[in-house]
Amino acid sequence: MEKIKVVGIRQVKFTAPDTKQEISGVRVYFLQDAPMRGLEGQSCDSVFLSNEAFNKLSYVPSIGQECNIDFNRYGKVSSFAPIGK
């Protein structure tokens, strides 16, 4: 698990270039303390979750909240968890 601070949440919809399938989901933008070697301070990143995956989350962070993020073995978000619980 990695500690993050959520700074933005955006609903997105796009067409996959290879399958032409329309994809809807949520992009979560966050800051985290320097996870990269040689970087001082914080880095910023975002993750995409399909609406289906987002709706299955047991905990959904709000903007401004610090939480933990966990990834599955395929590098996709598996969960968010409040800090200290």
Side-chain angles (χ1 to χ4, degrees):
M1 288 206 146
E2 300 175 33
K3 180 180 171 184
I4 63 169
K5 180 175 182 179
V6 176
V7 295
I9 298 174
R10 178 180 177 207
Q11 293 287 327
V12 294
K13 186 183 283 190
F14 61 93
T15 302
D18 52 345
T19 64
K20 306 298 185 212
Q21 179 183 5
E22 189 171 276
I23 311 259
S24 296
V26 176
R27 186 160 290 279
V28 178
Y29 297 87
F30 59 89
L31 300 174
Q32 67 186 124
D33 292 334
M36 294 181 275
R37 189 171 19 153
L39 174 66
E40 294 181 32
Q42 294 184 313
S43 66
C44 56
D45 204 351
S46 67
V47 291
F48 174 81
L49 292 95
S50 68
N51 281 334
E52 181 181 355
F54 189 77
N55 292 331
K56 287 181 182 178
L57 292 174
S58 59
Y59 170 78
V60 177
S62 298
I63 295 170
Q65 285 186 322
E66 289 188 344
C67 63
N68 288 311
I69 187 172
D70 199 18
F71 298 91
N72 64 24
R73 65 182 177 172
Y74 304 108
K76 295 188 178 205
V77 174
S78 60
S79 66
F80 292 96
I83 301 239
K85 295 188 179 181

